[in-house]
């Protein structure tokens, strides 16, 4: 719950924080399954999920529908999920009898084929890193201790150096040498680094990067500036954690990851445990994916990552019987936390249901219905829709249609409190202040909206209206001219301004 007292949006803070609870609960369950039935059960559970995914992929191909994007959001997340599952197929292929080797080999071959057909670069790089680490460690099984330390130092030193080079050089990129998606990542990383610089110790609060990054302007990000795309994460889980939870949060995670990794590597060398080596190598590959994407956001990715942790820590001795309140107290705590998770999930589903009704009412020009459904959508668990738009904005549209100016300003002010660097929210708030006659405040708000995105048409129009209402007709014309096709879009505004300029 990092950031409860300083985060703009507590609903998203709660929602993102509950994933940690889910991960802990999943780890406890998977560790118990591993202890009672062996780690083979873990890998078969993952492979079952993988086979179901293949069937969905095949069904979508036959139906000529993109079911993968529907389930995973993007091919990158789909391929990263496949990458996380395939190591278990490789373990089965290497360790089981011939009949099962064929089955696991087919699962492995299908997954790799899909990954390379979809050409997901970050996952292909992760496969290269996985393969390199696997063969380096396997090759060094008989080496002396100093040789193992040296080769691991070189391997991880290279990874850290390349990552640091990419992060430090992101603001100096030569755009013609990179793809559009990588350029976009570099631009988002620059915003995130600026955010980290302002909040280094504790961050801006879990789940709140999305409401802070645009503080540093989105004018250089084409999708945001011209197409109003709302980014929910910086496409780098390390920067994401650092910006939201500060160095305190990142260090805690790194200590856990590095501690488990080092102990696992020591155990692999001692017992020449090839199965754990495959999982550890896949974990290193996951770090590559996390550097360019956001696997920590997705539930399936979290569960399989936790499965890795359960697999790697199998056999580690933790005498829980010495803890007096275990197991009854621990079970009770998990039941309470799971119940909270379910309740939050229900409230967010309810919120999205009523938000969709509010949007439908808005499309049908039904002001009262938009207000009613918007108010029903709101709760401590749900304040913004999946695109980042505050629910108060939908309510504000209803009050605008009813010309209830005081209520309009009130709800737009609440939307501003939740998302103070969203240029659309700022533009709406500035417009409502103009309607109420508060011109000085409106100017401050609209100037901020323009600073963040100088290409957003409603902001340019509202600036023109503000200038006109304060008697600055030349400025009103200049703002209006900033809108492409303003003559056809806003002929009445143009005519009014021209009439006053002539006078």
């Amino acid at each position: 719950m990092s950031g409860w007292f300083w985060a703009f949006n507590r609903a998203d803070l709660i929602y993102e924080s509950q994933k940690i609870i889910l991960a802990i609960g999943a780890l406890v369950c998977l560790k118990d399954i591993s202890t009672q039935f062996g780690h083979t059960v873990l890998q078969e559970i993952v492979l079952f999920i993988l086979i179901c995914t293949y069937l969905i992929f095949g069904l979508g191909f036959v139906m000529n529908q993109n079911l993968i994007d529907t389930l995973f959001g993007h091919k990158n997340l789909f391929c990263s999920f496949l990458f996380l599952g395939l190591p278990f197929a490789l373990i089965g292929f290497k360790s089981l009898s011939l009949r099962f080797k064929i089955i696991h080999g087919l699962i492995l071959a299908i997954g790799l084929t899909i990954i390379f057909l979809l050409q997901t670069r970050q996952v292909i790089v992760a496969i290269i890193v996985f393969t390199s680490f696997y063969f380096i460690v396997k090759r060094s099984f008989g080496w002396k201790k100093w040789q193992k330390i040296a080769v691991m130092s070189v391997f991880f030193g290279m990874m850290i150096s390349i990552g640091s080079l990419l992060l430090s050089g992101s603001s100096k990129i030569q755009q013609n040498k990179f793809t559009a998606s990588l350029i976009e990542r570099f631009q988002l990383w620059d915003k995130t680094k600026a955010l980290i610089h302002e909040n280094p110790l504790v961050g801006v609060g879990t789940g709140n990067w999305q409401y802070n990054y645009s503080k540093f302007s989105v004018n250089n990000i084409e999708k945001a500036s011209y197409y109003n795309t709302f980014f929910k994460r910086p496409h780098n889980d390390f920067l994401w954690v650092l910006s939201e939870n500060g160095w305190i949060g990142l260090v805690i995670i790194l200590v856990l990851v590095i501690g488990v990794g080092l102990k696992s590597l020591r155990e692999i060398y001692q017992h020449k445990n090839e199965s754990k080596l495959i999982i550890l190598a896949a974990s290193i590959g996951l770090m590559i994916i996390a550097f360019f994407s956001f696997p920590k956001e997705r539930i399936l990715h979290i569960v399989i990552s936790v499965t890795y942790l359960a697999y790697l820590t199998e056999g580690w001795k933790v005498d829980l019987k010495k803890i007096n309140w275990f197991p009854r107290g621990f079970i009770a705590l998990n039941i309470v936390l799971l119940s909270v998770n379910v309740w939050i999930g229900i409230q967010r589903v309810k919120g999205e249901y009523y938000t969709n009704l509010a949007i439908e009412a808005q499309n049908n020009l039904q002001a009262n219905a938009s207000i009613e459904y918007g108010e029903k959508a709101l709760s401590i668990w749900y304040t913004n829709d999946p695109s980042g738009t505050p629910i108060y904005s939908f309510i504000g549209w209803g009050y605008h249609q009813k010309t209830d100016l005081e209520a309009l300003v009130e709800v737009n002010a609440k939307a501003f409190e939740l998302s103070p660097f969203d240029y659309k929210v700022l533009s709406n708030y500035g417009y409502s202040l103009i309607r109420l006659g508060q011109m000085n405040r409106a100017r401050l708000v609209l100037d901020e909206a323009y600073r963040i995105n100088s290409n957003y048409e409603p902001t340019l129009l509202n600036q023109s209206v503000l200038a006109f209402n304060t008697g600055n007709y030349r400025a009103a014309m200049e703002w209006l001219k900033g809108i492409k096709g303003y003559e056809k879009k806003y002929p009445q505004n143009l005519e009014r301004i021209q009439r006053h300029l002539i006078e």
Side-chain angles (χ1 to χ4, degrees), residues 214-253:
S214 56
K215 175 182 183 180
F216 304 101
S217 175
V218 297
N219 282 318
N220 66 330
I221 305 177
E222 184 178 0
K223 281 187 179 178
S225 184
Y226 291 98
Y227 303 105
N228 299 319
T229 299
F230 179 81
F231 291 95
K232 295 176 71 70
R233 76 287 293 179
H235 290 267
N236 183 312
D237 276 356
F238 297 99
L239 289 180
W240 198 2
V241 171
L242 185 53
S243 64
E244 292 190 342
N245 307 111
W247 281 104
I248 293 175
L250 183 64
V251 167
I252 290 171
I253 292 173

Side-chain angles (χ1 to χ4, degrees), residues 400-447:
H400 173 252
Q401 294 297 108
K402 293 172 59 123
T403 62
D404 188 339
L405 299 183
E406 290 187 3
L408 175 63
V409 171
E410 182 182 350
V411 293
N412 280 334
K414 289 178 179 178
F416 171 72
E417 289 174 7
L418 289 171
S419 195
F421 303 115
D422 185 328
Y423 56 87
K424 290 179 281 188
V425 169
L426 286 163
S427 185
N428 289 339
Y429 187 28
Y431 172 77
S432 64
L433 290 170
I434 292 172
R435 292 290 304 276
L436 204 62
Q438 299 182 20
M439 301 303 176
N440 290 331
R441 284 181 64 195
R443 181 175 290 105
L444 291 173
V445 172
L446 289 174
D447 283 350

